[in-house]
Amino acid sequence: MSQTKPVIVVSCPDVPGHGDHLCPALITSLTQAAPKHVVQQSTGDDTIRPEDLHVTLVMRDATDDRLIGTLEWRTQQQPPSSGPEVELTVMDSAIRPGMYRQFTDELIKANAKFLANDTN
């Protein structure tokens, strides 16, 4: 008898200048933080099962040298929740591709509560 893995569906905003890096970095960070889950990017027409966890990246600021954002999460059984904001500011250059993973890892760490509530 095969049991399906719990699913985390990830939604990311279109962030000009950062969109090609933010969502893939978040998916990689979530995959590492929740290895017993299937992590997939939302296609916009996803049918979320009651047990699926939907995680949304919410950006308050995104410039060439600064990112400020948080995560919101929900299941069909619970209203949306959100955690603290995380900021990445670079003083001497623009944000480089490798820095997105640092930002998303910190988002996961700061918002670890949602994974603790969904550790199937």
Side-chain angles (χ1 to χ4, degrees), residues 34-87:
K36 295 181 180 181
H37 292 68
V38 173
V39 180
Q40 60 191 39
Q41 187 168 357
S42 173
T43 59
D45 61 351
D46 300 312
T47 302
I48 298 176
R49 301 175 305 172
E51 66 273 17
D52 290 349
L53 181 64
H54 191 104
V55 176
T56 303
L57 175 63
V58 179
M59 297 301 296
R60 185 168 61 85
D61 193 17
T63 64
D64 288 345
D65 61 356
R66 183 167 83 168
L67 299 172
I68 301 174
T70 189
L71 297 176
E72 289 183 352
W73 59 92
R74 66 180 166 83
T75 64
Q76 284 186 347
Q77 297 102 344
Q78 298 177 336
S81 298
S82 63
E85 287 186 339
V86 170
E87 179 176 349

Side-chain angles (χ1 to χ4, degrees), residues 20-21 30-31 39 45 51 57 64 69 73 89 95 99 103:
D20 291 343
H21 301 286
L30 280 168
T31 300
V39 180
D45 61 351
E51 66 273 17
L57 175 63
D64 288 345
W73 59 92
T89 301
I95 294 173
M99 295 177 176
F103 177 71

